[in-house]
Amino acid sequence: MSVTLKSPPSSFLSSSLPKSRLGFANGSSSSTLLFKFNRSFPVLRASSGSSSSVDTGLSTELDAVSTFSEIVPDTVIFDDFEKFPPTAATVSSSLLLGILSLPDTIFRNAVDMALADSTCSPLDNPELRLSCFVNKALVNVGGDLAKLVPGRVSTEVDARLAYDTHGIIRRVHDLLRLYDEIAVPPERLLFKIPSTWQGIEASRLLESEGIQTHLTFVYSFAQAAAAAQAGASVIQIFVGRVRDWARSHSGDPEIEAAIQRGEDPGLALVTKAYNYIHKYGHKSKLMAAAVRNKQDIFSLLGVDYIIAPLKVLQSLKESITSPDEKYSYDRRLSPQSAARYDFTAEELTKWDQLSLASAIGPASVELLAAGLDGYVNQAKRVEELLDKIWPPPNV
């Protein structure tokens, strides 16, 4: 197995773009961004081979883990394009808050152009006007990011629509139309939707139209399996949040079963979801987020995507690949191991709203609610800030 280095076309980068710093929170971590566009960068891609060990010629732990999984920096954008080359991006309310906090960021013009949009400005209803501005801002920034990364751009769908299947679908159609107006093709896009039953059903319907979806806030096997059955393109599980809940709570049967087996409940959830997806031929790609340390990454080698904190990436980059007594670079997740995994009849059900509601435990209920509350609060803060600065000069 080997690492393939690819450089994006020169059109992805512009040496004339200014440098700027942007600070903001992504999930539970804060980051400072330094954009440097003075030269192109290589993109690390995971090899598709099935070898279970790392070539001895690799020089760092980051090289090693990148042969098994695609490693994504845990920032809304990227803290350092040169040290940790980006392959994909997410545009969200959190990102817009960061952009609005600094007037000199290279993305600020995308927001200002949204506020000057002639379609939104004439709307008499303040709520509709602000919603229009937010959609335009998300898409304008997403369009800029699509020029900077070789992979897909995931666009957050308003969390206030989390329990409205048709509202989610309408919003995605609106966003897709706006992306079409700036010539970003659908294959470069994902739409990030909360994994409520209504969100999962929206994903199913959108995927049937050929629109790629990214289901987030997955904290239980039932959610993951339902998302896979819906055909979601990407399913995101938050490893560390499940672990954190388990440390201070009890009473979730799925988590307690993992602990009784001597397993970390967050890692066990990713493993089980991966095995389900691969054993039964679902198309979904699995993303492990909220990993906290190198051991988490080593335990997840083989999962499609791992979102890793910058401090962990830096540690991986600075460490040589010689195996020690504590860590090894064996592939932990693979289609071969998935084929050997046994599921119960209850786990192989055709999931619907009632069975999903019955299967998810208190951890999933509480963590999903907390995640939605955070997204809703961020969306409201964005609208408040846009309302204060609208109309911009010369409008």
Side-chain angles (χ1 to χ4, degrees):
M1 182 173 294
S2 60
V3 176
T4 301
L5 296 177
K6 298 181 180 179
S7 294
S10 58
S11 58
F12 282 152
L13 303 176
S14 171
S15 60
S16 62
L17 289 173
K19 299 177 182 178
S20 64
R21 288 188 179 272
L22 170 56
F24 58 87
N26 176 25
S28 61
S29 60
S30 298
S31 304
T32 300
L33 303 186
L34 176 59
F35 293 94
K36 299 179 181 179
F37 300 103
N38 56 335
R39 61 185 179 88
S40 62
F41 50 82
V43 176
L44 284 172
R45 295 293 191 183
S47 169
S48 59
S50 58
S51 172
S52 63
S53 63
V54 172
D55 292 344
T56 57
L58 296 175
S59 59
T60 71
E61 288 181 340
L62 183 57
D63 291 329
V65 299
S66 296
T67 64
F68 297 117
S69 301
E70 185 164 333
I71 310 300
V72 182
D74 186 13
T75 59
V76 178
I77 321 176
F78 319 100
D79 280 55
D80 195 316
F81 275 46
E82 296 176 350
K83 288 184 179 179
F84 306 112
T87 59
T90 296
V91 57
S92 62
S93 296
S94 177
L95 174 56
L96 294 184
L97 285 173
I99 293 170
L100 289 167
S101 71
L102 287 174
D104 61 343
T105 171
I106 61 171
F107 296 105
R108 182 56 186 262
N109 184 62
V111 176
D112 290 341
M113 292 298 292
L115 289 173
D117 184 77
S118 60
T119 304
C120 304
S121 299
L123 295 175
D124 294 327
N125 185 311
E127 292 183 1
L128 291 179
R129 184 170 62 242
L130 282 173
S131 178
C132 182
F133 285 146
V134 171
N135 287 347
K136 288 290 293 186
L138 288 169
V139 169
N140 286 353
V141 174
D144 284 352
L145 288 171
K147 298 173 184 176
L148 300 176
V149 299
R152 293 177 292 188
V153 174
S154 184
T155 303
E156 178 185 288
V157 175
D158 193 332
R160 288 169 290 191
L161 300 172
Y163 293 96
D164 181 354
T165 295
H166 296 293
I168 292 171
I169 292 172
R170 285 192 297 270
R171 180 60 55 89
V172 169
H173 285 164
D174 289 344
L175 293 169
L176 196 59
R177 175 180 53 80
L178 293 174
Y179 273 116
D180 182 65
E181 291 177 0
I182 60 173
V184 179
E187 59 268 22
R188 294 292 313 282
L189 300 170
L190 288 163
F191 294 94
K192 192 174 184 180
I193 299 168
S195 293
T196 59
W197 169 253
Q198 293 79 2
I200 293 169
E201 183 67 2
S203 172
R204 181 184 69 81
L205 294 169
L206 290 165
E207 292 281 352
S208 72
E209 300 177 30
I211 299 171
Q212 300 177 107
T213 60
H214 170 181
L215 284 174
T216 189
F217 295 151
V218 174
Y219 300 107
S220 66
F221 172 74
Q223 285 177 292
Q229 289 181 3
S233 295
V234 176
I235 299 171
Q236 184 172 356
I237 294 175
F238 292 86
V239 175
R241 295 184 191 177
V242 174
R243 179 187 301 145
D244 292 344
W245 191 95
R247 286 173 174 167
S248 56
H249 300 78
S250 61
D252 189 293
E254 185 174 349
I255 287 178
E256 292 185 352
I259 293 173
Q260 288 174 2
R261 295 192 303 267
E263 299 175 358
D264 176 277
L267 298 174
L269 176 56
V270 173
T271 299
K272 191 172 185 177
Y274 177 94
N275 290 337
Y276 178 82
I277 289 168
H278 284 269
K279 183 167 185 172
Y280 297 104
H282 297 289
K283 74 169 190 176
S284 305
K285 301 295 185 182
L286 194 60
M287 175 181 288
V291 301
R292 301 290 166 74
N293 50 57
K294 291 198 294 186
Q295 184 59 61
D296 282 348
I297 292 178
F298 297 147
S299 298
L300 293 169
L301 293 181
V303 73
D304 300 289
Y305 307 106
I306 300 175
I307 301 182
L310 293 180
K311 65 179 181 180
V312 175
L313 290 181
Q314 188 64 41
S315 178
L316 289 169
K317 189 178 179 68
E318 293 172 351
S319 302
I320 60 173
T321 57
S322 300
D324 58 29
E325 295 180 358
K326 188 175 182 180
Y327 300 134
S328 68
Y329 301 117
D330 292 332
R331 180 170 183 168
R332 304 300 179 89
L333 306 177
S334 70
Q336 293 77 20
S337 62
R340 298 189 295 269
Y341 193 93
D342 292 325
F343 291 89
T344 67
E346 291 78 11
E347 291 168 340
L348 297 179
T349 188
K350 175 64 176 176
W351 295 97
D352 57 23
Q353 186 172 7
L354 180 60
S355 60
L356 181 68
S358 300
I360 61 174
S364 183
V365 171
E366 294 175 21
L367 291 169
L368 175 61
L372 290 174
D373 286 345
Y375 272 26
V376 168
N377 289 336
Q378 288 175 346
K380 289 179 178 178
R381 288 171 59 198
V382 169
E383 290 176 345
E384 291 170 358
L385 288 174
L386 292 181
D387 193 38
K388 288 179 180 179
I389 62 177
W390 187 85
N394 304 319
V395 174

